Amino acid sequence: MQIKKIVFLLFPLYLFSQTVYSQEIKRKKVLSLGEEIPTTPEEEQFNEQLIKLLKGVVQNGYNNRQGQDHPAKRDAHAKQHGCVAAKFKIESNIPSKFRKGIFSTKDEYKAILRFSNGSSELKSDKVGDAHGMAIKILDVKANLLSYEEANGELNTQDFIMIDHPVFFLRNSKDYLPFMMARKSGPEGFKEWLKKNPYEADIITKSISKSPTNPLASQYWSQTPYKIGDKSAMKFTAKPCTGQNFIDIPKEQRQDNYLRDALAMNLARSEFCFDFFIIPQRDAKQHLIEDSTVEWPTTWKGKNNIFKVATIYIPKEQAPNSSEALKICEELSFTPWHGSEDFRPLGGINRTRKKIYLELSKYRNQLNLVNPSIPSSDTWEILLPK
C-alpha cells in the first residue's frame, strides 16, 4: 500500500520524466529494426557491481535457510510452484519471414516448464507478486549461441516470461541504482520510488498480481530478441481458450496455494498454452533499449501477433513432488540458452548474460551441486509413472 500511495502522489512527475527521457533518446543514434547498442565499458562496470550485490542477496538467503534442501535460492523467482514436462509443437503455417531457429521446423520438441513467484524471498502466495513461467526446450540443434554465451548448455532453447507485459527498468544502467536503493533499506527504497515515479508505477502493477492458478495466467518476455538478421520480436504465452480450471476459493488459500492449484489441475486434465511472437515494426517506437515499452499487437490497423507454437502439458504429473522440484531447482534458465536466430537484445538482456552465469555458479557452489545439463531422460522423469 505504501508504494501505491507514493506513486499516486508523485504520478504528475511521470509526464515530465517521460519528456526528459524522450529528449535523451532523440539525442542518441537512431537504431534500425533489430539493432541494439553495443556493450560499453561503463555497462560492464555496472554489471560487475550488480553481480556483487546480487551475490549478497543469494548469500543472505542461504544463511537464513541452513538445514533446508538447496538453501541457496535464485536472487529472483526463488519460490517455485512446480516443474512439469511439456511438448512444444511448432505451427505449420508460420509466415516465412518468422521461420527462424526452431520456428523453421514443423517439429514437436520436449520441454521443461518452471512456474515461480518473482521475489527473492520464499513468501506466501497470498502476498501480491510477479510470477514467472520459464520454458526449456530440449534437443535443439539450430544455429546455437557460443559455448561461452550459453554457459556451456548447447542443446536447449529457453524462453523466460513474466505475468506482466513490460519490465520495470529501461536498461542496464538503471539496474544498479535500483538494487543499491533496495539494499539501503525501506527509507532508501522509498526515496528511489519518489525519484522514479514511472518505474514505481510499473513495479506496483507488476507485484500486485494474485493469480488463481499458474496455468490460467498470460506470460510475456518483456525484453526483445532477434528473429533472423534484421528483425526483432517479443513473445507471449496465453492459456488456450476453452479450458476449465479448478480454483481454490480465496478463503481456503494457504501460503502455497499456487503450488496446490497447479498440482490439483494437472491431476485431472492436460492443459495448453498458445505461444505467440510480436514483431518489432518501428525502431523509434518499439524500442530495443527500453524494456518498459510494450510492443503493440496491432500495427497500422493490421494484426501484429502471430501464433508460432502450442505448449501441451500432459495430465497426471506431480509438479510439486520433491523429485520434480529438485530438477527445476538445479536447472539453469537464461535468455542466453538458445539459437543465434533468437539472440537476446537490449541492455537488460546484456546484463542478464553474465549475471545469470555468475549467480548460477555461485548458487550451485553454495548448494554443493554440479551444473545440471538437461536431457530427454530428465524430461521422462517428470512424466506420470
Side-chain angles (χ1 to χ4, degrees):
M1 290 302 295
Q2 186 65 33
I3 293 177
K4 292 182 179 180
K5 289 178 182 177
I6 293 171
V7 172
F8 177 77
L9 292 172
L10 295 164
F11 195 74
L13 292 175
Y14 161 70
L15 294 177
F16 174 73
S17 66
Q18 281 292 84
T19 301
V20 170
Y21 187 68
S22 297
Q23 292 172 350
E24 179 184 346
I25 290 294
K26 289 177 182 177
R27 288 196 297 269
K28 295 179 179 177
K29 173 184 178 291
V30 176
L31 301 176
S32 302
L33 287 175
E35 185 183 7
E36 65 177 340
I37 297 171
T39 302
T40 65
E42 180 187 45
E43 188 173 86
E44 293 286 356
Q45 186 178 18
F46 281 143
N47 291 345
E48 291 298 329
Q49 293 176 274
L50 192 54
I51 287 170
K52 291 180 182 178
L53 280 172
L54 293 174
K55 279 186 174 180
V57 173
V58 174
Q59 182 71 57
N60 288 339
Y62 172 78
N63 293 341
N64 293 332
R65 301 186 196 106
Q66 289 300 304
Q68 299 181 22
D69 288 335
H70 300 86
K73 303 294 184 184
R74 290 165 169 84
D75 65 292
H77 296 275
K79 181 179 181 179
Q80 56 179 331
H81 308 311
C83 183
V84 302
K87 296 179 180 179
F88 195 90
K89 174 68 175 175
I90 308 298
E91 289 289 294
S92 60
N93 59 345
I94 299 173
S96 58
K97 58 187 172 182
F98 303 138
R99 291 178 195 159
K100 311 294 181 183
I102 61 171
F103 303 154
S104 64
T105 72
K106 297 180 182 179
D107 293 340
E108 181 178 270
Y109 292 88
K110 295 176 181 177
I112 296 173
L113 275 57
R114 180 182 188 263
F115 295 95
S116 62
N117 275 359
S119 175
S120 62
E121 302 173 7
L122 304 181
K123 61 185 182 181
S124 171
D125 295 344
K126 294 185 285 185
V127 179
D129 200 353
H131 306 83
M133 179 172 75
I135 304 172
K136 184 177 290 294
I137 300 171
L138 306 178
D139 301 322
V140 174
K141 300 178 176 65
N143 192 21
L144 295 166
L145 293 166
S146 71
Y147 181 91
E148 291 77 15
E149 290 177 318
N151 303 353
E153 190 169 307
L154 293 176
N155 63 338
T156 61
Q157 175 70 59
D158 290 2
F159 293 120
I160 312 298
M161 293 176 284
I162 311 294
D163 61 347
H164 193 70
V166 296
F167 196 58
F168 65 94
L169 296 173
R170 292 185 172 100
N171 51 50
S172 56
K173 72 180 180 65
D174 294 338
Y175 224 130
L176 185 60
F178 167 76
M179 286 303 302
M180 292 179 71
R182 285 191 60 187
K183 185 180 179 182
S184 68
E187 292 305 316
F189 190 50
K190 288 178 186 177
E191 187 64 26
W192 184 90
L193 292 168
K194 289 180 182 179
K195 293 179 179 178
N196 299 274
Y198 173 62
E199 289 82 356
D201 181 58
I202 298 174
I203 290 174
T204 301
K205 292 174 180 175
S206 298
I207 66 171
S208 299
K209 312 278 187 184
S210 295
T212 58
N213 182 343
L215 296 167
S217 295
Q218 181 176 357
Y219 301 89
W220 291 264
S221 68
Q222 298 186 331
T223 55
Y225 297 77
K226 280 178 58 177
I227 182 161
D229 292 331
K230 296 182 180 180
S231 188
M233 66 170 178
K234 293 186 178 182
F235 46 84
T236 183
K238 301 180 183 180
C240 298
T241 58
Q243 299 183 112
N244 295 315
F245 301 102
I246 298 177
D247 297 330
I248 299 174
K250 196 168 184 177
E251 64 277 7
Q252 297 179 22
R253 294 176 185 173
Q254 304 297 314
D255 289 339
N256 296 321
Y257 81 86
L258 289 173
R259 183 178 294 185
D260 296 338
L262 178 63
M264 182 171 60
N265 278 273
L266 285 178
R268 67 175 183 87
S269 179
E270 75 167 15
F271 289 90
C272 65
F273 287 86
D274 293 325
F275 190 87
F276 300 86
I277 63 168
I278 304 167
Q280 184 191 32
R281 296 300 189 185
D282 187 320
K284 294 181 181 179
Q285 296 185 49
H286 313 153
L287 302 175
I288 296 288
E289 296 293 343
D290 186 347
S291 294
T292 68
V293 176
E294 184 174 4
W295 292 5
T297 55
T298 58
W299 180 245
K300 295 185 177 180
K302 295 183 179 180
N303 175 65
N304 194 45
I305 182 169
F306 301 90
K307 183 178 177 182
V308 293
T310 305
I311 304 164
Y312 296 100
I313 306 174
K315 66 178 180 179
E316 297 180 351
Q317 297 190 58
N320 59 354
S321 70
S322 58
E323 189 173 38
L325 294 175
K326 180 177 184 293
I327 286 173
C328 274
E329 188 64 38
E330 295 183 0
L331 287 176
S332 170
F333 292 87
T334 167
W336 291 91
H337 288 156
S339 167
E340 176 64 42
D341 290 310
F342 301 153
R343 170 176 284 273
L345 298 174
I348 296 299
N349 276 333
R350 291 194 300 274
T351 293
R352 287 171 165 173
K353 183 178 182 179
K354 189 167 185 179
I355 286 175
Y356 279 36
L357 170 61
E358 292 299 323
L359 293 183
S360 179
K361 287 180 178 178
Y362 190 58
R363 184 163 51 90
N364 288 337
Q365 175 187 333
L366 292 174
N367 288 329
L368 303 177
V369 298
N370 294 319
S372 178
I373 304 297
S375 66
S376 293
D377 290 341
T378 312
W379 186 83
E380 294 286 349
I381 291 171
L382 293 168
L383 290 176
K385 303 298 185 284

